């Protein structure tokens, strides 16, 4: 370990010995403010959940759309395989 | 964590009914825990009481999601820690520490560290803490959180795992990187002091 490591260790050890602040009493009116804020916020994070659900749906729909576009591009541009060429040739013209 | 006279089950039942008295009791019971976490990870320029208030409103608003699988104190800790992390992230500017910004006491402690291999005197603890907190401001929020928990508050890896929900491997790797970064900041400060 380099000297600098020792210095940092000693600094951290010394800092860890600092007396923590005493756990204070709840400030006057704090609980009331929290309760008011809680009641004003309404029951649960309904909007947050809805946003999350919509976002996931949107991402899912986007993924499906991209897959579909990719798949149709692939089938449109792919050269017809041998079997398809034979079938096309063998199919009567009036059925095509 | 909960006091012997405090019936957490009855309190949780009251909270689910949105009972104000249960909410007040819950706040009073868990205030010391939340305050301790907020004080340890408080972003600069943020009032601790405001952040405590935000933490409690989040806890109460999401109490329906508490499944009872972990002790309520762990659940409260996780929300408090995540709220502090978000507040730290919002404070995107990480200041660069300069030797000239140090107080005389802080500069003396650093000079003492450089000149003597002995442990610092107990009187220096508060000054050392100030220096470390200044150095920590240069780290990313999660790194800062880990160094504070592991090196300043004496948490074990398991304690950190319980409080944050991160796995041990993540904690070890991140703590190592955080320490390397802290060492770099410390080195740069010392080099500046030698000029």
């Amino acid at each position: 370990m380099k000297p600098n490591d020792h210095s940092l260790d000693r600094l951290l050890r010394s800092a860890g010995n600092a007396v923590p602040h005493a756990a204070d009493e709840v400030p006057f009116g704090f609980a009331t403010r929290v309760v008011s804020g809680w009641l004003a916020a309404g029951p649960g994070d309904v909007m947050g959940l809805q946003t999350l659900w919509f976002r996931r749906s949107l991402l899912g729909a986007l993924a499906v759309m991209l897959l579909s576009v990719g798949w149709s591009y692939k089938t449109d541009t792919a050269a017809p395989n041998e079997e398809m060429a034979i079938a096309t040739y063998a199919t009567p013209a009036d059925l095509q | 964590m909960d006091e012997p006279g405090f019936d957490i089950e009855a309190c949780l039942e009251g909270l689910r009914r949105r009972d104000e008295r249960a909410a007040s009791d819950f706040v009073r019971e868990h205030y010391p825990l939340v305050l301790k976490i907020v004080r340890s990870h408080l972003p600069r320029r943020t009032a601790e009481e405001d952040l405590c208030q935000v933490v409690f409103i989040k806890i109460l608003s999401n109490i329906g999601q508490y499944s009872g699988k972990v002790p309520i104190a762990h659940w409260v800790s996780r929300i408090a820690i995540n709220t502090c992390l978000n507040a730290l992230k919002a404070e995107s500017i990480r200041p660069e520490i300069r030797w000239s910004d140090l107080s005389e006491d802080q500069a003396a402690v650093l000079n003492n560290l450089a000149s003597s291999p002995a442990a610092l005197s107990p009187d220096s603890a508060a000054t050392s803490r100030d220096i470390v907190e200044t150095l920590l401001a240069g780290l990313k929020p999660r790194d800062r959180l880990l160094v504070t928990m592991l090196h300043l508050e004496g948490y074990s890896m398991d304690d950190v795992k319980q409080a944050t929900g991160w796995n041990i491997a993540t904690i070890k790797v991140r703590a190592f990187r955080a320490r390397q970064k802290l060492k770099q900041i410390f080195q740069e400060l010392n080099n500046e002091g030698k000029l």
Side-chain angles (χ1 to χ4, degrees):
Chain A
M1 201 178 267
K2 294 174 187 171
N4 193 46
D5 282 345
H6 290 302
S7 300
L8 184 59
D9 276 339
R10 285 187 292 143
L11 181 67
L12 287 170
R13 264 199 300 275
S14 174
N17 289 333
V19 181
H21 297 285
D24 293 1
E25 290 293 308
V26 183
F28 180 74
F30 178 81
T32 312
R33 287 197 296 281
V34 169
V35 173
S36 310
W38 170 51
L39 294 174
D45 189 13
V46 177
M47 281 310 290
L49 286 175
Q50 278 180 354
T51 310
L52 189 69
W53 190 83
F54 279 124
R55 191 185 300 163
R56 286 191 177 171
S57 308
L58 192 67
L59 286 175
L62 194 66
V64 169
M65 196 180 81
L66 287 175
L67 279 173
S68 308
V69 169
W71 182 256
S72 42
Y73 177 77
K74 190 182 161 195
T75 46
D76 284 351
T77 54
N81 61 25
E82 199 178 317
E83 192 181 14
M84 180 64 115
I86 293 169
T88 307
Y89 178 72
T91 307
D94 56 341
L95 289 181
Q96 286 191 41
Chain B
M1 176 58 63
D2 300 322
E3 285 178 13
F6 182 71
D7 184 354
I8 185 66
E9 290 304 325
C11 183
L12 289 174
E13 196 50 48
L15 290 179
R16 289 183 188 115
R17 291 194 314 268
R18 301 182 69 72
D19 176 38
E20 292 182 31
R21 190 180 179 82
S24 294
D25 290 345
F26 185 91
V27 170
R28 269 188 277 276
E29 178 65 20
H30 293 94
Y31 184 76
L33 171 67
V34 170
L35 181 66
K36 183 170 178 269
I37 292 170
V38 163
R39 275 188 178 158
S40 302
H41 311 292
L42 188 71
R44 291 169 299 131
R45 296 191 294 275
T46 306
E48 63 184 28
E49 201 177 309
D50 291 348
L51 202 50
C52 282
Q53 193 170 324
V54 172
V55 170
F56 274 113
I57 291 176
K58 273 191 186 177
I59 290 169
L60 296 176
S61 298
N62 292 291
I63 201 75
Q65 292 174 23
Y66 175 64
S67 62
K69 285 180 187 164
V70 293
I72 188 75
H74 291 174
W75 192 73
V76 167
S77 297
R78 283 187 193 182
I79 293 184
I81 285 172
N82 284 327
T83 308
C84 290
L85 277 177
N86 288 338
L88 286 167
K89 279 179 197 163
E91 187 188 53
S92 56
I93 299 167
R94 282 190 275 282
E96 191 174 312
I97 177 172
R98 294 271 174 206
W99 188 269
S100 53
D101 296 333
L102 299 176
S103 68
E104 277 184 27
D105 285 348
Q106 291 173 336
V109 165
L110 290 182
N111 283 329
N112 194 0
L113 276 172
S115 61
S116 159
L120 291 168
S121 74
D123 300 343
S124 308
T127 311
S128 301
R129 178 91 186 203
D130 288 343
I131 297 171
V132 170
E133 284 180 0
T134 312
L135 294 173
L136 287 176
L139 297 184
K140 289 178 184 168
R142 283 170 187 254
D143 294 349
R144 178 177 166 173
L145 177 97
L146 272 180
V147 173
T148 303
M149 290 177 114
L150 291 170
H151 295 288
L152 300 184
E153 295 181 345
Y155 279 54
S156 68
M157 294 269 179
D158 271 338
D159 294 336
V160 177
K161 183 184 168 190
Q162 295 289 349
T164 59
W166 304 338
N167 66 46
I168 293 285
T170 305
I171 295 167
K172 276 186 187 169
V173 171
R174 191 172 271 280
F176 174 75
R177 288 179 188 162
R179 208 185 141 80
Q180 295 295 106
K181 177 70 181 164
L182 189 67
K183 199 166 76 180
Q184 185 194 335
I185 298 170
F186 183 62
Q187 179 72 57
E188 285 168 6
L189 182 66
N190 274 326
N191 290 343
E192 199 186 326
K194 284 176 196 161
L195 294 177

